[in-house]
């Protein structure tokens, strides 16, 4: 989903709780990675890897001049033969420390092994954020969470687009939609004329 489609989606969602919720969550994410500077780890479940969100956050990091937003994608079945940006395994969660941010994205309640690793990362001092189910152990252990329950108006993929776009915003949105829309289109135009970034 490009910047123009995100802007149109925001217009459709005007007046709903989703815009405020995704911006608050994105603000917490951005605030954590920028203020702590320890880097961001992004992990999903064995069945759901948020590689698409990782790619969007890399783009937003480049467009906003905030390199801290570019995450390290942690994968459940990473192999040493994978490209470097896809070869980081779950052992990286065990090495998480104070100052790092761990974003967990899951469409359903994660299984116990992942929850244990997230809990260990939190105990080691990492800031934990969760995007997905609103109930269960994961939101309870997260410092910040955004619930996307089954049957809600938006699916998890759409919410991830809103969060990544909001995380890349350099300032609070202006009250009038036209100026923000023009800013996003200008950034998109700059991106299209720049050399292509590394692809996931």
């Amino acid at each position: 989903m490009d910047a123009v489609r995100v802007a149109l989606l925001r217009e459709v969602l005007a007046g709903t709780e989703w815009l405020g919720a995704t911006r608050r969550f994105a603000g917490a994410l951005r605030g954590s990675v920028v203020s702590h500077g320890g880097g961001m780890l992004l992990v999903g479940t064995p069945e759901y890897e948020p590689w698409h969100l990782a790619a969007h956050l890399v783009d937003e990091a480049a467009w906003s001049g905030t390199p801290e937003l570019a995450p390290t994608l942690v994968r459940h079945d990473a192999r040493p033969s994978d490209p470097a940006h896809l070869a980081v395994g779950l052992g990286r969660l065990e090495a998480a420390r104070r100052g790092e941010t761990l974003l967990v994205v899951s469409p359903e309640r994660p299984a116990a092994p992942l929850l244990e690793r997230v809990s260990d990362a939190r105990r080691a001092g990492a800031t934990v954020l969760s995007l997905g189910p609103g109930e269960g152990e994961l939101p309870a252990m997260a410092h910040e969470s955004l619930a996307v329950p089954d049957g809600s108006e938006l699916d998890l993929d759409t919410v991830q687009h809103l969060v990544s776009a909001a995380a890349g915003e350099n300032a609070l949105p202006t009250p009038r939609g036209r100026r923000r829309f023009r800013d996003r289109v200008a950034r998109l135009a700059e991106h299209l004329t720049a050399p292509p970034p590394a692809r996931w």
Side-chain angles (χ1 to χ4, degrees):
M1 187 177 295
D2 59 30
V4 174
R5 289 187 181 136
V6 170
L8 292 173
L9 178 60
R10 285 177 169 172
E11 284 184 26
V12 171
L13 295 173
T16 70
E17 294 180 10
W18 283 109
L19 288 184
T22 53
R23 282 192 167 124
R24 277 190 299 277
F25 185 80
L29 175 63
R30 182 183 174 111
S32 178
V33 298
V34 171
S35 64
H36 295 133
M40 185 196 328
L41 303 174
L42 175 62
V43 68
T45 65
E47 300 79 25
Y48 186 90
E49 290 190 333
W51 61 268
H52 197 70
L53 175 60
H56 280 291
L57 286 170
V58 167
D59 287 345
E60 291 295 340
W63 295 340
S64 66
T66 312
E68 300 90 346
L69 284 176
T72 297
L73 180 62
V74 178
R75 302 180 63 224
H76 289 261
D77 59 353
R79 296 178 299 273
S81 60
D82 290 335
H85 64 285
L86 298 175
V88 179
L90 289 176
R92 181 61 181 87
L93 297 184
E94 295 168 9
R97 296 291 175 254
R98 182 172 306 283
E100 291 185 306
T101 301
L102 172 58
L103 174 56
V104 184
V105 181
S106 175
E108 55 198 27
R109 293 183 182 189
L114 177 58
L115 289 172
E116 289 170 14
R117 290 174 190 250
V118 172
S119 179
D120 290 345
R122 180 182 166 121
R123 278 197 300 275
T127 300
V128 176
L129 292 92
S130 73
L131 183 57
E135 300 175 346
E137 294 176 32
L138 179 59
M141 76 173 68
H143 294 91
E144 188 78 31
S145 65
L146 178 58
V148 188
D150 273 344
S152 60
E153 301 87 2
L154 299 180
D155 63 14
L156 185 60
D157 289 335
T158 303
V159 171
Q160 289 177 69
H161 284 291
L162 292 170
V163 167
S164 62
E169 292 177 339
N170 286 316
L172 293 173
T174 57
R176 298 162 85 179
R178 285 188 184 145
R179 190 168 187 190
R180 281 300 319 140
F181 180 74
R182 279 198 300 261
D183 291 346
R184 297 289 290 173
V185 171
R187 281 198 340 202
L188 177 61
E190 289 173 10
H191 173 68
L192 292 175
T193 58
R199 287 289 161 212
W200 290 83

